Amino acid sequence: MLTEFSQQNGATIVAPGTHKAGKNPNGYPELKQARPTEYQVEAAAGSVLVFDGRLWHKGGTNRRSEEHTSE
């Protein structure tokens, strides 16, 4: 992570165990209805998150109000 991952800045959301589902949640409404437990990853800058690409994951909403500019 280049910056801190937190709920405030839209950290990645993962659903543990879903890599074993054998299906992509898109196109399968029954899987979306029976939502598995999800959690938002929080970690310090410099950390690494490694997961199986089949794991259901999504980006969170960035709720920070401050603007970031590159120098």
Side-chain angles (χ1 to χ4, degrees):
M1 289 123 196
L2 298 176
T3 61
E4 174 187 32
F5 259 36
S6 70
Q7 291 182 9
Q8 285 302 105
N9 70 1
T12 302
I13 299 169
V14 296
T18 54
H19 64 290
K20 299 176 185 176
K23 297 180 181 177
N24 183 321
N26 296 325
Y28 295 94
E30 69 277 8
L31 294 177
K32 288 186 177 184
Q33 290 172 0
R35 293 267 300 183
T37 301
E38 297 178 339
Y39 73 91
Q40 200 157 16
V41 177
E42 294 188 276
S47 299
V48 176
L49 172 63
V50 178
F51 58 86
D52 188 311
R54 296 171 294 172
L55 183 75
W56 300 359
H57 61 284
K58 62 185 176 183
T61 302
N62 188 343
R63 295 182 177 89
R64 293 178 83 167
S65 60
E66 63 189 64
E67 291 186 29
H68 290 76
T69 58
S70 57
E71 296 179 18

